[in-house]
Amino acid sequence: MSESEFLAERFEAYRGHLHAVAYRMLGSGAEADDAVQEAWFRLSRSDTRQVENLGGWLTTVVGRVCLDMLRSRKARAEQPLEPDVPLPGVVPDPEQDALLADSVGVALLVVLETLTPAERLAFVLHDLFAVPFEDVADIVGRTPAAARQLASRARRRVQGAPAPDADLVRQREVVDAFLAAARGGDFDALVDVLDPDVVARAEAGVTAGALAVAKGATSFASLALVARPALVDGATGLAVLVDGRVERALAFTFVRDRIAVIDVMTAPACVAALKIELL
């Protein structure tokens, strides 16, 4: 395999994540595709041999590309393309369109359009994709404290977003239902306990939307069989046990009695640092 082929293969592994970031930034599938393509051009022209975290490097590049596109759009007072506009040269895929719409939500896209480009980038990258404020600050050319303020202002303007649920008993019931559905491969039951805009975050990347997250959960039925309800750093979650030790942990955030965020920790050092109490 040539160096260019190896680089292309590595890029393809991140394409889905990069498109998800760009779509939430731009609200347009076609523009998101353009942003991802621009990221590939920049990658192919760069020396990344010293880059330890290629996924983070690419996310930063896509963030900068999207920020430039948003600023250009604001300057020309343009509106984004409709989300259902097919990508150039791509045959429309109804199932993929449904996943994309479900993963973002029209209401959220409408609210994001009211934010400044910098606020939108800070909110999307940090709150939806867990990018550290230090990296966000580097993209928008501000201090980490200023980037935090941008995200905070954006968060307050995302109207109608209810506070996370705090009923631990109800949360345990929802997690039990999630676990039973995952063990049985019951796709519909999984969707029922997930918020439509649910986000699953792991070291390998981010999955967004109830349909996509449910599909991923059904593929891990064997792991669900060895999962136990647990408190993960005080949050309602699950611990996956292998040979009597915790091999991975899942922590959940809830909204309206549904799972809104799933944080999946698999790195040994990360799992070891967690306070896990089996229930």
Side-chain angles (χ1 to χ4, degrees):
M1 180 183 295
S2 67
E3 184 176 346
S4 61
E5 290 174 332
F6 176 71
L7 194 62
E9 185 176 276
R10 293 188 67 194
F11 179 82
E12 286 302 318
Y14 293 106
R15 181 182 289 275
H17 165 72
L18 298 175
H19 193 275
V21 172
Y23 185 80
R24 284 155 184 77
M25 284 290 299
L26 301 169
S28 160
E31 288 186 320
D33 198 56
D34 290 342
V36 172
Q37 190 65 24
E38 177 61 25
W40 162 246
F41 288 146
R42 296 190 185 188
L43 174 64
S44 64
R45 296 194 299 265
S46 301
D47 182 359
T48 58
R49 286 175 294 182
Q50 302 303 316
V51 175
E52 296 182 1
N53 182 358
L54 184 61
W57 188 90
L58 287 169
T59 299
T60 297
V61 170
V62 165
R64 286 175 173 149
V65 171
C66 290
L67 186 60
D68 289 343
M69 294 173 72
L70 285 172
R71 285 170 172 165
S72 177
R73 179 194 298 168
K74 289 287 185 181
R76 297 194 301 266
E78 289 184 357
Q79 295 298 316
L81 298 176
E82 291 300 321
D84 59 354
V85 173
L87 303 183
V90 177
V91 177
D93 183 342
E95 181 180 0
Q96 182 61 32
D97 289 346
L99 287 172
L100 198 57
D102 186 59
S103 71
V104 181
V106 175
L108 178 57
L109 287 178
V110 170
V111 175
L112 290 179
E113 281 301 311
T114 69
L115 306 178
T116 67
E119 288 172 343
R120 185 164 179 162
L121 181 137
F123 176 78
V124 169
L125 289 187
H126 180 267
D127 284 41
L128 299 187
F129 292 95
V131 174
F133 281 121
E134 289 76 9
D135 295 341
V136 174
D138 184 53
I139 298 173
V140 297
R142 306 193 188 188
T143 66
R148 188 183 298 273
Q149 290 180 346
L150 287 171
S152 179
R153 285 203 301 268
R155 201 176 299 121
R156 289 195 297 268
R157 294 176 66 181
V158 178
Q159 302 170 356
D165 297 338
D167 186 340
L168 294 179
V169 174
R170 177 55 185 157
Q171 289 179 7
R172 173 71 182 276
E173 293 174 349
V174 174
V175 169
D176 286 345
F178 173 87
L179 186 56
R183 286 171 173 170
D186 190 335
F187 183 84
D188 292 336
L190 281 167
V191 172
D192 286 342
V193 298
L194 297 174
D195 185 85
D197 296 324
V198 62
V199 174
R201 302 184 294 208
E203 286 93 342
V206 176
T207 303
L211 297 182
V213 172
K215 183 178 180 181
T218 57
S219 66
F220 289 97
S222 60
L223 289 177
L225 292 173
V226 292
R228 292 265 308 273
L231 291 178
V232 180
D233 279 348
T236 302
L238 293 171
V240 176
L241 302 180
V242 176
D243 296 330
R245 63 177 178 81
V246 178
E247 191 263 350
R248 67 179 63 194
L250 288 76
F252 299 91
T253 301
F254 303 81
V255 168
R256 294 185 297 268
D257 287 336
R258 289 188 174 187
I259 297 170
V261 179
I262 305 174
D263 285 302
V264 184
M265 284 73 71
T266 58
C270 179
V271 173
L274 297 171
K275 181 181 179 181
I276 299 175
E277 179 184 351
L278 298 179
L279 300 177

